[in-house]
Amino acid sequence: MDGGGRGGVYNPRTVEEVYRDYQGRRNGLIKALTTDVGRFFRQCDPNKENLCLYGFPSEKWEVNLPAEEVPPELPEPALGINFARDGMPESDWLSLVAVHCDAWLLSVAYFFGARFGFDKSDRKRLFSMINDLPTVYEVVVGHNNKQTVAKSSISNHSSTKSKSNAQGRGSEPLLKYAKLQAKDEEDELEEEDEDGEDDDEEDEHGDTLCGACGENYASDEFWICCDICERWFHGKCVKITPAKAEHIKQYKCPSCSSNKRRP
């Protein structure tokens, strides 16, 4: 068993030591749920007994049975994470485990704080340091979204090449809306540009003009296509955001909408 694990002798006593303990355990859990996810998934066999995911100060992780002693030396992680493994989509299961990991990490940190008598200012300082880090859940969801965007981009690029007229479909902008909201996704876009994929998209849509303002297509702006007249528009010109577009089954531009209302 790694030092600082179940029943270990590692006892951080200062705010800085507890924070370093939190960081190490957090990094270990993130590894299990992202880079080591294949191994973690295999170890969470639903046919086994109740299993827990432990993170250690050394940035390692372990799937194991819960501690036998009552009460345990440290707060215990969520029990039986393996039972739900095959009962939901993998990404949802990982996100659920991540939420429980965040709760466990905070309980361990504040356990040490209570044990060694942290006062109000110490607890506030500890929480402020912890709160400056993304949660395990945020990291795991961002990692899954990044993989999904990468797969979707490759799939959309292949599909676009196989069509003779790719810019006449209203659903296409929903799949490739252009301002990515997370920095990780922006980094992914830059990597694709190095591979030449973004150059293909610019060549394909470079001559497209906005039906409202007449300006050219730009890959860093959100565009949407009217399903009636098949003209393209800047989202800002027709007051449509990527979030709104996701809920539109059939988009009609202002011109087509007004034409339909005339007798």
Side-chain angles (χ1 to χ4, degrees):
M1 181 69 63
D2 199 343
R6 303 173 302 171
V9 296
Y10 178 72
N11 288 317
R13 294 175 179 270
T14 67
V15 170
E16 287 72 23
E17 287 175 341
V18 172
Y19 176 67
R20 286 195 295 271
D21 178 271
Y22 175 92
Q23 278 186 307
R25 296 178 190 275
R26 170 183 173 274
N27 291 341
L29 295 173
I30 289 174
K31 285 180 182 178
L33 299 174
T34 56
T35 57
D36 298 344
V37 68
R39 182 156 57 94
F40 169 66
F41 186 89
R42 290 191 296 273
Q43 291 187 20
C44 292
D45 187 346
N47 295 318
K48 294 183 179 180
E49 299 180 60
N50 291 285
L51 295 175
C52 300
L53 172 60
Y54 295 89
F56 301 114
S58 60
E59 301 190 358
K60 295 181 181 179
W61 61 273
E62 177 184 75
V63 173
N64 210 331
L65 297 171
E68 294 182 0
E69 64 268 22
V70 178
E73 177 67 18
L74 291 177
E76 285 289 298
L79 180 67
I81 58 172
N82 51 312
F83 294 146
R85 190 195 73 178
D86 297 338
M88 61 179 71
E90 181 179 339
S91 60
D92 292 346
W93 175 68
L94 292 173
S95 298
L96 181 61
V97 174
V99 170
H100 285 290
C101 286
D102 283 315
W104 178 67
L105 287 170
L106 285 174
S107 69
V108 171
Y110 277 81
F111 173 85
F112 286 130
R115 183 171 182 176
F116 298 112
F118 286 6
D119 59 18
K120 180 179 179 180
S121 62
D122 285 338
R123 293 193 303 271
K124 184 176 181 180
R125 187 156 61 94
L126 174 60
F127 179 76
S128 178
M129 295 167 72
I130 289 174
N131 201 42
D132 284 338
L133 293 173
T135 63
V136 176
Y137 172 80
E138 289 171 335
V139 174
V140 170
V141 170
H143 177 81
N144 290 338
N145 287 344
K146 183 178 178 181
Q147 289 186 325
T148 300
V149 168
K151 291 178 181 177
S152 177
S153 177
I154 294 173
S155 175
N156 290 344
H157 179 64
S158 300
S159 176
T160 300
K161 277 190 171 182
S162 66
K163 295 178 181 180
S164 59
N165 184 14
Q167 66 180 29
R169 296 293 180 267
S171 61
E172 194 176 6
L174 303 185
L175 297 176
K176 63 175 183 179
Y177 62 84
K179 266 203 174 171
L180 302 179
Q181 299 173 351
K183 187 177 183 307
D184 286 342
E185 294 178 4
E186 291 176 354
D187 293 340
E188 186 71 19
L189 197 62
E190 291 174 2
E191 292 175 6
E192 290 177 358
D193 187 57
E194 292 176 0
D195 294 335
E197 294 186 6
D198 283 356
D199 291 339
D200 290 345
E201 186 172 309
E202 285 289 348
D203 291 341
E204 181 182 348
H205 297 289
D207 295 332
T208 304
L209 301 180
C210 174
C213 69
E215 295 294 329
N216 287 331
Y217 168 86
S219 62
D220 62 345
E221 295 180 301
F222 170 70
W223 280 60
I224 189 166
C225 181
C226 175
D227 286 300
I228 305 303
C229 66
E230 297 190 347
R231 288 187 299 167
W232 288 75
F233 298 85
H234 290 110
K236 63 183 179 181
C237 290
V238 291
K239 298 181 179 179
I240 299 293
T241 64
K244 287 183 179 180
E246 291 181 358
H247 301 287
I248 299 176
K249 294 182 178 179
Q250 183 183 54
Y251 173 67
K252 297 179 183 178
C253 69
S255 177
C256 290
S257 296
S258 62
N259 288 340
K260 185 176 181 180
R261 289 197 295 266
R262 292 175 183 171

